[in-house]
């Protein structure tokens, strides 16, 4: 062989070596990339599941806090047993039939048990008085709406914000004669209008230290009379169109066999 | 430079390279905005260190979380260590929390990939 041919062979041999090194490196890099992706996918799945669990934990915690606060409010007031549970269920039915979304209706159901939370700041003597209030006492009692609102309004949590609206507006009346703001019609938040009806319907049907439970006929008559006065007429119509749903809730969460959390009042 | 010391931040680990002691430590979460830029000083100083290393070099890796581009960087890091390990005595401690499955698996993966390196799996 002549020299030039030898040189060419050497060059080819070197090229072959370079080529093999490069291919080895590329295939190693590719394998590593696959490994990295696989690892990262696994990690993502773990994190995803963890996040989901955490979100559930947050939602559950909110629900629990709200329910517990409702129970605290209830334990301080004359309402007994399952009152807040029934109000929650009535509110959800009214919200759905009114046309609110499933999500909003569920949120309202969660928040409505807190409507009377402001009562924790009302003195026991007034709260548990087994007789009619004097005008002064009634004024004091009325503050619970504003107090409840004050307690909750600084929260950034959607559910607590909703609860603050309900606490504030559940004693407003459609014709503007309610409290604390005296707003009327659709200026009252729909959540307030709904809880107002749910609360009154349940209160009338329950025995209290100062009154026995009303007969259904008498309750229905009052609701009809107050259509467009105390209550949003549309909600009253919804109520009577779906009366069986409400009575079923009342049966399911009746106060029979319920041990009240309320401290007994002895004067 | 005999000591390279970078403090940890929310997204980057602490880094220590002590050339006199023959000690390398990376601790914490690794999700740098620019991964190669972040690790560049370590890689550069390591290359310098291995020109005249101590008799024994100990590398403590206590990484609690790392993203994909850090993963790529760690491969390069171990390439460098592996080359040096042919000539010098190097120990790698992969330190992880028992409950951190991801990091346990990552350590095992690296150990599998770099057969010539000694990985000690150390639980906290």
């Amino acid at each position: 062989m002549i020299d030039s041919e030898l040189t060419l062979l050497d060059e080819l041999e070197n090229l072959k070596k370079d080529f093999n090194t490069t291919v080895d490196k590329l295939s190693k890099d590719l394998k590593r990339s696959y490994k990295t992706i696989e690892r990262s996918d696994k990690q993502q799945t773990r994190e995803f599941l963890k996040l989901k669990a955490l979100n559930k934990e947050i939602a559950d915690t909110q629900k629990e806090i709200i329910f517990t606060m409702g129970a605290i409010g209830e334990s301080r007031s004359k309402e007994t047993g399952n009152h807040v549970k029934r109000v929650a269920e009535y509110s959800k039915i009214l919200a759905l039939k009114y046309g609110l979304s499933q999500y909003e209706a569920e949120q309202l159901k969660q928040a409505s048990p807190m409507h009377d939370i402001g009562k924790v700041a009302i003195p026991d003597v007034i709260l548990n008085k087994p007789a009619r209030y004097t005008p002064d006492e009634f004024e004091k009692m009325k503050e619970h709406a504003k107090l409840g609102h004050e307690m909750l309004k600084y929260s950034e949590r959607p559910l607590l914000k909703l609860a603050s609206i309900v606490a504030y507006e559940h004693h407003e009346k459609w014709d503007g004669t309610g409290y604390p703001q005296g707003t009327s019609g659709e200026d009252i938040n729909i959540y307030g209008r709904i809880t107002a009806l749910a609360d009154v319907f349940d209160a009338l049907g329950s025995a209290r230290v100062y009154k026995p439970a009303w007969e259904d006929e008498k309750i229905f008559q009052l609701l009809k009379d107050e259509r467009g006065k105390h209550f949003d007429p549309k909600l009253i119509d919804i109520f009577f169109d779906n009366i069986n749903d409400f009575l079923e809730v009342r049966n399911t969460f009746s106060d029979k066999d319920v041990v009240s959390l309320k401290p007994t009042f002895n004067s | 430079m005999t000591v390279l010391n970078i403090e940890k931040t929310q997204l980057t680990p602490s880094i220590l390279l002590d050339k006199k002691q023959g000690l390398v430590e990376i601790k914490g979460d690794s999700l740098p905005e620019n991964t190669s830029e972040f690790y560049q000083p370590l890689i550069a100083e390591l290359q310098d260190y291995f020109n005249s290393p101590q008799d024994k070099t100990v590398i403590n890796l206590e990484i609690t979380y790392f993203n994909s581009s850090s993963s790529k960087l760690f491969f390069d890091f171990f390439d460098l260590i592996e080359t040096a390990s042919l000539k010098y005595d190097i120990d790698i401690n992969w330190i992880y929390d028992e409950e951190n499955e991801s990091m346990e698996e990552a350590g095992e993966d690296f150990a599998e990939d770099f057969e010539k390196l000694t990985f000690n799996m150390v639980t906290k």
Side-chain angles (χ1 to χ4, degrees):
Chain A
M1 276 198 284
I2 54 170
D3 276 0
S4 64
E5 279 177 330
L6 273 175
T7 314
L8 182 63
L9 272 178
D10 272 353
E11 258 179 46
L12 281 173
E13 200 54 39
N14 281 335
L15 275 175
K16 191 172 145 193
K17 265 189 207 152
D18 281 355
F19 179 79
N20 284 339
T21 313
T22 309
V23 168
D24 281 352
K25 190 180 175 322
L26 278 177
S27 80
K28 195 164 103 187
D29 279 356
L30 257 183
K31 272 185 205 149
R32 285 177 178 183
S33 292
Y34 286 137
K35 252 194 180 171
T36 303
I37 291 171
E38 269 175 34
R39 192 191 64 80
S40 143
D41 277 359
K42 242 189 201 173
Q43 195 162 293
Q44 205 171 28
T45 307
R46 264 189 209 129
E47 282 157 4
F48 174 76
L49 294 175
K50 206 172 171 185
L51 264 186
K52 260 185 135 172
L54 275 178
N55 276 335
K56 188 176 175 300
E57 179 72 25
I58 291 170
D60 287 352
T61 306
Q62 274 196 46
K63 281 185 205 168
E64 205 173 304
I65 288 172
I66 287 200
F67 189 80
T68 307
M69 284 176 81
I72 292 169
E74 194 181 319
S75 76
R76 292 265 299 124
S77 78
K78 282 170 280 191
E79 283 87 29
T80 56
N82 284 322
H83 171 68
V84 292
K85 266 190 196 158
R86 290 190 300 265
V87 171
E89 296 294 336
Y90 298 149
S91 299
K92 186 178 176 183
I93 298 172
L94 287 167
L96 284 174
K97 302 285 180 188
Y98 188 86
L100 300 187
S101 68
Q102 186 72 38
Y103 176 75
E104 281 180 296
E106 186 57 35
Q107 291 283 99
L108 177 59
K109 178 185 155 180
Q110 307 290 347
S112 67
M114 291 229 280
H115 64 273
D116 271 342
I117 189 68
K119 285 187 178 171
V120 299
I122 303 293
D124 273 354
V125 276
I126 296 177
L127 214 53
N128 292 318
K129 189 182 178 188
R132 287 197 80 82
Y133 292 135
T134 66
D136 277 354
E137 286 167 345
F138 189 51
E139 285 308 310
K140 190 78 194 159
M141 184 65 190
K142 275 157 70 172
E143 284 178 15
H144 82 272
K146 198 159 173 279
L147 290 167
H149 176 63
E150 297 285 327
M151 290 172 198
L152 300 166
K153 71 176 182 187
Y154 298 106
S155 174
E156 292 294 325
R157 309 276 82 75
L159 207 48
L160 290 171
K161 271 188 183 304
L162 205 165
S164 87
I165 295 172
V166 169
Y168 200 28
E169 303 199 2
H170 75 285
H171 281 296
E172 298 293 353
K173 293 183 179 176
W174 182 257
D175 63 7
T177 62
Y179 64 87
Q181 298 185 99
T183 40
S184 63
E186 292 190 351
D187 285 345
I188 308 164
N189 193 296
I190 182 61
Y191 298 131
R193 279 179 272 150
I194 287 175
T195 311
L197 175 54
D199 188 29
V200 169
F201 169 62
D202 196 70
L204 293 176
S206 311
R208 296 287 159 84
V209 273
Y210 55 92
K211 70 161 189 66
W214 284 21
E215 295 294 324
D216 278 353
E217 277 315 306
K218 202 175 159 192
I219 297 173
F220 297 155
Q221 192 53 52
L222 179 132
L223 295 185
K224 278 175 192 157
D225 291 346
E226 292 292 333
R227 183 183 183 278
K229 291 180 190 164
H230 189 157
F231 306 113
D232 180 345
K234 197 175 162 190
L235 289 175
I236 293 292
D237 294 344
I238 290 170
F239 178 83
F240 284 109
D241 287 347
N242 300 278
I243 188 83
N244 288 332
D245 294 351
F246 292 94
L247 297 180
E248 198 183 312
V249 168
R250 192 171 67 180
N251 263 334
T252 311
F253 298 100
S254 79
D255 282 336
K256 280 173 201 144
D257 306 325
V258 169
V259 181
S260 171
L261 292 169
K262 176 180 84 78
T264 39
F265 179 76
N266 295 310
S267 60
Chain B
M1 197 192 290
T2 52
V3 177
L4 171 74
N5 198 348
I6 300 171
E7 297 220 347
K8 79 179 222 171
T9 70
Q10 199 180 355
L11 296 178
T12 56
S14 66
I15 291 179
L16 175 74
L17 166 59
D18 188 327
K19 292 179 184 171
K20 268 191 192 156
Q21 288 194 51
L23 179 68
V24 181
E25 284 189 335
I26 305 178
K27 281 186 187 179
D29 299 324
S30 179
L31 308 89
E33 237 173 75
N34 186 334
T35 308
S36 50
E37 195 179 291
F38 175 76
Y39 283 101
Q40 195 276 330
L42 173 67
I43 300 292
E45 293 296 332
L46 258 186
Q47 278 164 340
D48 175 68
Y49 167 74
F50 280 122
N51 287 329
S52 54
Q54 302 297 330
D55 293 341
K56 188 180 177 76
T57 304
V58 174
I59 300 176
N60 292 323
L61 301 173
E62 193 175 329
I63 294 149
T64 37
Y65 186 99
F66 61 94
N67 63 10
S68 306
S69 60
S70 300
S71 172
K72 158 96 177 72
L73 199 126
F74 292 147
F75 277 120
D76 297 344
F77 172 81
F78 289 128
D79 272 339
L80 198 158
I81 308 288
E82 192 171 50
T83 309
S85 75
L86 302 178
K87 285 196 269 176
Y88 308 111
D89 189 7
I90 302 174
D91 249 9
I92 300 172
N93 296 312
W94 183 267
I95 306 160
Y96 61 97
D97 192 303
E98 237 173 319
E99 282 172 21
N100 194 339
E101 250 180 286
S102 294
M103 287 309 108
E104 182 177 4
E105 281 171 19
E108 284 163 359
D109 276 356
F110 284 130
E112 195 186 314
D113 229 63
F114 295 90
E115 289 170 346
K116 288 172 203 142
L117 291 176
T118 319
F119 271 83
N120 305 310
M121 300 293 286
V122 184
T123 52
K124 275 204 288 188

